[in-house]
Amino acid sequence: MTEPAVQSRTGGPSLPQERRLVTEIPGPESRARLDRKKQHVADGVGTMLPVFVEAAGGGILRDVDGNSLIDLGSGIAVTSVGNSAPEVVRGVQEQVAAFTHTCFMITPYDGYVDVCEKLAELTPGDHAKKSALFNSGAEAVENAVKIARVATGRDAVGVFEHAYHGRTNLTMAMTSKNMPYKHGFGPFAGEVYRAPMSYPFRDGLSGEQAAARAIDVLDKQVGADNLACIAIEPILGEGGFVVPAPGFLPTLAAWAADKGVVLIADEIQSGFCRTGSWFACDEEGVVPDLVTTAKGIAGGLPLAAVTGRAELMDSVHVGGLGGTYGGNPVACAAALGSIAEMETHDLAARARAIGGTMHARLTALQERHPVIGDVRGRGAMMAIELCAPGTTDAEPARAAAVAAYCHQQGVVTLTCGTWGNVFRFLPPLSIPDALLDEGLDVVAEAFAATA
Ligand code: PMP
C-alpha cells in the first residue's frame, strides 16, 4: 500500500532511525522523477539506486515515496559525520548568511586559513606543513602532481595497479580501470607509469616482497631520477578496498625518500576517521610528503586539499595554485563543522567499533558462503571479495545480485573492484548500532537468497 510522501524535509540525526519500506524500490514518485532525469540529464551520469532522496541523517536516507533506507555507503565515503550533521549545518548556515564567495585569490577570509591550520595539525607527521584548497578529489590529485613536478624538476608520475585518482585527463591516466572511467576518453596525459600493487589475497606476497616488486618496475622501467612523485592510496578505494600487506607502504616511503621522489598519499577515500585513525597512513607510521584529501573532509560540501611539507608546497610560484571556487567559504565552514563533529564524538573510535562489528559479521558470513573469498578493510572501510570458491576467479554477477537484493530491501550498498566483484561497506560513522546490525542482516539474507 502506498502512503503519502512524508512532508517534513528536515534531515540530520533527528530523522527517525528505522528502515521502513512503504512502496517497492524505486517507488512511483521516484520512477516519475527518473523519467524526468532521462529527459534532462546526460545518460553518461548513471545512478546506481534510483530513489530520489528528500531527507537524510544518521544512517538513513528517506526518499520521495516515504521509504527510509539504511545507508551503508555515505555517498561514497563522504558523509562520515552523517548527513546534515549539526555542526556542519550550523557552520554552513552562519557562513551562507554572512557571505558566499569572494574568491580566496582576490580577497581572503578566515575559514580557508582555519581549514589549512587544521589540516596541518591532523595529517601525518609533525613537520611544518602548508595546504592549498580545491573543489574535488581529482583536482587535488592534479595539483599534488603539479607541486611535485615543480619541486623536483622531474616529469614522471608513478602510480599503482587498481588505483583510482579521478576523472580529469591526468587523473584518468593515473586511474587503472578502463570501464567506465577511461573507455573512449583518451588520449591520456603522458609520463604516467604503473607499478604492481600489494594485493595480499591475490599475490600472497609480504609487504616487503610486494614493495621490492614495485620498486623494481619504477627503478628499472622509469628510473628514480625521472620520477617526480609516486601517488598511492594507502588503502585502495574504487580498486577494491585492498589493504596492502604490512610493510609495503613503509618500504615504498623509505625508497621514495632516499631517491628524492615525492610520496603522495591519496587519502581522499580513506581519510578523516574512516579507517579508525585520522588517516590510513597513521596505522603504519608512514609520513607522506603530500596528502590529498576530499570526500569526508566537509560533511558533503565540495572541498578538497593538498597538504604537505611547507618547502614543497612553497616551491610553486605565486599564482600557480588556485581556482575560482577552491576553498569556498561555505565549504570551509562545513569542513570546520565536520572536523568538530569528528573530534567531539571521537569518530575515529566509532569507526574502529563499527569495523569490529562488520568484520565479525562478515567473517561469520564467509563461513556460510564460500563465494566470499576475502574479508578485508580497516575500521568503517570494509569489503568482501566474491570469487568462485577456493579460487581468485571473480564473481561480479553474484556481487550484482546481492547488491540488487539489498537495494530492493532498502539497504544502500556499493560495489567496487577492478573486476566489479567487491562489495564495500562505508556506513556513516553516525549510524546507530541497531541499524548497522539490521543492514548486515539484510546483506546476509541477500547471500542466502542469491545462493
Ligand atoms: N582519489 C580517490 C582515492 C578517490 O576515491 C576519489 C573518488 N572516488 C578521487 C580521488 C576523486 O575524487 P572526486 O570524485 O572528488 O574528484
Side-chain angles (χ1 to χ4, degrees), residues 76 135-139 141 164-167 233 237-238 266-269 294-295:
I76 322 188
N135 302 295
S136 70
E139 208 188 335
V141 173
Y164 182 90
H165 295 292
R167 295 173 182 266
E233 300 159 82
E238 304 305 308
D266 182 347
E267 292 256 16
I268 286 166
Q269 191 150 166
K295 289 190 185 279

Side-chain angles (χ1 to χ4, degrees), residues 10 37 44 56 66 88 91 96 98 119 135 149 162 166 187 198 200 240 260 336 338 369 372 383 392 400 403 432:
T10 304
K37 171 188 178 275
V88 174
V96 85
L119 283 164
N135 302 295
R149 282 177 167 161
H162 312 290
S198 167
L336 295 170
S338 175
H369 299 281
I372 301 175
T392 54

